[in-house]
Amino acid sequence: MSYCCGASMVGTKGTLKHYRTQVHNVPLLFCPVCRRIEVHYKVENEYEILAEYAHGDGASEIDFQDYVMEDDDTIFENCVNRESEDAFEIVKRQIDMSLDLLMVAKQMNDEKWQGELKRRLAVMSQRRSRFQHNKSGS
């Protein structure tokens, strides 16, 4: 699992721009709290090589899937959540994990970690409230 801000990162695919070249269907990890995005570590080297070659060849866009043969299940097997899942369920799981970690931080008397977890919980609680509001308003 990959973590950012202590939250588990969500597995997805997206488009990244490398200079003037757009690389589509790149396996990514993103943080649901701070929205940081990074190339999935299992394909990071392949992405860098492919993006450099494509840029050097002057390609305006390429599809990552055409060059890397690993399937999504293998790449994302270590992800707790995937973007294809229900967003409300992802937020609920992130809150549950953060609450579990908060109990550990309290047992360890780690004030700094507790503060970080409380800030993360506040962000995730706001997102959960927005999802609930949108569901009830629909």
Side-chain angles (χ1 to χ4, degrees):
M1 284 186 273
S2 294
Y3 293 96
C4 176
C5 306
S8 61
M9 296 182 80
V10 177
T12 189
K13 284 191 171 183
T15 299
L16 294 178
K17 192 167 186 171
H18 181 78
Y19 298 107
R20 292 190 177 120
T21 303
Q22 289 191 350
V23 184
H24 302 290
N25 292 310
V26 179
L28 303 170
L29 297 169
F30 78 89
C31 177
V33 176
C34 70
R35 304 285 189 191
R36 189 181 96 194
I37 296 173
E38 61 186 46
V39 175
H40 194 291
Y41 64 87
K42 285 188 174 183
V43 296
E44 194 170 11
N45 291 335
E46 291 91 338
Y47 167 76
E48 289 176 12
I49 292 167
L50 181 60
E52 280 297 321
Y53 277 119
H55 171 68
D57 287 346
S60 61
E61 56 185 295
I62 59 168
D63 192 325
F64 190 80
Q65 285 182 186
D66 292 344
Y67 299 92
V68 177
M69 299 302 151
E70 263 192 284
D71 66 352
D72 291 354
D73 289 335
T74 302
I75 292 171
F76 295 120
E77 70 186 350
N78 70 327
C79 293
V80 174
N81 300 109
R82 291 193 192 175
E83 188 181 36
S84 58
E85 298 173 44
D86 179 54
F88 184 70
E89 290 301 315
I90 291 173
V91 169
K92 282 177 36 181
R93 276 191 229 122
Q94 292 286 338
I95 289 171
D96 289 344
M97 285 187 294
S98 294
L99 288 169
D100 291 343
L101 290 172
L102 184 59
M103 286 185 354
V104 173
K106 285 182 178 181
Q107 289 173 348
M108 296 173 61
N109 293 319
D110 189 329
E111 300 287 329
K112 182 180 176 191
W113 192 18
Q114 288 179 55
E116 292 169 1
L117 289 164
K118 287 176 183 176
R119 282 189 294 280
R120 181 175 328 117
L121 281 163
V123 170
M124 298 310 286
S125 293
Q126 287 175 335
R127 288 218 178 96
R128 186 187 65 193
S129 294
R130 274 195 304 247
F131 285 130
Q132 285 175 325
H133 177 70
N134 290 342
K135 280 185 178 183
S136 65
S138 299

